[in-house]
Amino acid sequence: PSVMTTLTGATELKDLPDGPPLPAALAGSFIQLSTLGYVWFSYSSASVCWEQSGRCLFDPWGRTVMFTIAFAIFMWLLSLRTIPSTRTSDPSIVDRLWSIMPWLYTWHWFFASGDFKPRLFIMSLLATIWGGRLTFNFWLKGGFSGGEDYRWAVVRRWYPGWRWEVFNLVFICLFQQCAILAFTVPAVAAMQSDAGLSWLDWLAALLFLLLVAGEAIADSQMLAFQTEKYRRKAAGEDLGPYAKGFIETGLWAYSRHPNYFCEVSMWWAFYLFSIPATGQCLNWTIWGCIFLTGLFLLPGASLDITETLSSSKYPDFASYKRRVSKYFPMPPRDPRVHRK
């Protein structure tokens, strides 16, 4: 069995699920990477990197694309450093950078734009608020104290040996770094636009902040629940409302993954900034939101993996699934209607 380790405690994982075949996982990554590459190098200023490579360094967006690709490969090489001691590479650096890279990108574009761009300034502030909050939460859970997300141990069993190293390069390093850049890209539209602020910008900012607050509440409720559960276990106390092992109160009474809902939705709110910036409801920056949604919601993606592992750990999770919406927050259902 695999063991999940955080600062709150550890739970043994049994009956681990099988993953998709490696060719299927890689094919999905290649399709999405190819789509991003085509869009970026065909419909944005990054095209100068193909036409005249020397000019790429003078285009803030173009050089960011090239930096991200090079940095992803560097991350993969850096992850290989653990092979002598663990016989496998460590993908955790990607998790630690998830909440840091977006606001670094937006502030780079803000200062590289040359002029004060109010829309880009607001977007950079929002990305910083999101990143600071999420980084702090990751630190609280022990994300910067070593170890790795327990789900990587499961995925490593799906693809042992060289298969894991290929998966690590293509999906974890290359695709996820490009996905992070992609859902931040609406800020590039703001950098390259002289359009003034509109009511849609203020609506986007309000929605983004509300979703950041929702994610913060969901994470806080989860951390408090897990901390108290493991404290009672360690002290030998009666578990009481913690006996089931998983949280089903607060925001978690309306969605089994309120944090995921807020995380994905807030980047759709971020995309709204690109509409007044470009004058187009559908523009080249939308692909990041689409692929981020897929990263969480497609069959076999992050949400399904989390659900499968929770089902293997907690016998009562099946009842929770019948009562509570998987993703979109909704009133709890009457379990008697869905009981088989």
Side-chain angles (χ1 to χ4, degrees), residues 67-320:
F67 164 80
T68 300
I69 295 172
F71 184 63
I73 296 173
F74 170 75
M75 283 173 44
W76 178 69
L77 294 173
L78 188 64
S79 73
L80 299 180
R81 76 193 188 283
T82 55
I83 286 181
S85 58
T86 65
R87 297 184 180 180
T88 183
S89 57
D90 176 16
S92 300
I93 186 173
V94 176
D95 298 323
R96 296 175 186 127
L97 291 174
W98 181 275
S99 60
I100 296 174
M101 300 305 292
W103 56 266
L104 289 180
Y105 288 142
T106 58
W107 284 116
H108 166 65
W109 298 327
F110 175 77
F111 289 112
S113 64
D115 300 319
F116 181 78
K117 305 276 187 176
R119 179 177 291 107
L120 181 55
F121 180 71
I122 293 172
M123 296 174 78
S124 299
L125 285 178
L126 292 174
T128 303
I129 292 170
W130 163 83
R133 205 286 312 171
L134 195 58
T135 301
F136 178 67
N137 184 71
F138 194 61
W139 172 79
L140 282 178
K141 296 192 300 182
F144 294 100
S145 61
E148 64 180 7
D149 188 307
Y150 70 99
R151 286 168 292 191
W152 290 136
V154 175
V155 176
R156 190 179 286 111
R157 293 190 175 207
W158 295 349
Y159 312 121
W162 63 268
R163 297 173 183 81
W164 166 255
E165 306 309 335
V166 174
F167 181 82
N168 183 23
L169 170 63
V170 176
F171 178 78
I172 299 177
C173 293
L174 275 173
F175 172 69
Q176 291 207 41
Q177 279 300 302
C178 287
I180 291 171
L181 177 61
F183 64 69
T184 315
V185 147
V188 175
M191 175 185 67
Q192 297 175 341
S193 172
D194 293 321
L197 293 173
S198 73
W199 65 268
L200 189 55
D201 293 295
W202 299 115
L203 176 61
L206 176 61
L207 288 174
F208 192 94
L209 289 172
L210 288 175
L211 290 163
V212 169
E215 186 177 44
I217 292 171
D219 284 343
S220 177
Q221 290 172 343
M222 173 63 79
L223 182 63
F225 178 90
Q226 295 293 347
T227 300
E228 178 62 14
K229 179 182 74 174
Y230 286 114
R231 187 200 68 78
R232 292 192 180 200
K233 281 187 174 183
E237 297 178 8
D238 178 61
L239 291 179
Y242 303 90
K244 290 183 179 180
F246 58 91
I247 185 173
E248 52 182 346
T249 57
L251 295 182
W252 303 84
Y254 303 95
S255 168
R256 303 202 297 271
H257 303 279
N259 51 342
Y260 285 179
F261 170 79
C262 292
E263 177 71 14
V264 173
S265 299
M266 74 176 66
W267 293 106
W268 280 102
F270 202 72
Y271 170 75
L272 294 179
F273 284 103
S274 72
I275 297 176
T278 63
Q280 299 175 326
C281 289
L282 299 177
N283 57 73
W284 67 275
T285 69
I286 197 172
W287 290 99
C289 298
I290 293 174
F291 291 156
L292 178 67
T293 304
L295 186 63
F296 281 89
L297 298 183
L298 283 177
S302 182
L303 190 149
D304 277 357
I305 294 174
T306 302
E307 289 258 305
T308 302
L309 296 180
S310 294
S311 297
S312 73
K313 290 186 290 183
Y314 309 122
D316 291 323
F317 196 77
S319 173
Y320 177 57

Side-chain angles (χ1 to χ4, degrees), residues 27-37 175 290-292 294-295 298:
S29 300
F30 278 124
I31 290 172
Q32 294 178 83
L33 285 169
S34 299
T35 301
L36 291 177
F175 172 69
I290 293 174
F291 291 156
L292 178 67
L295 186 63
L298 283 177

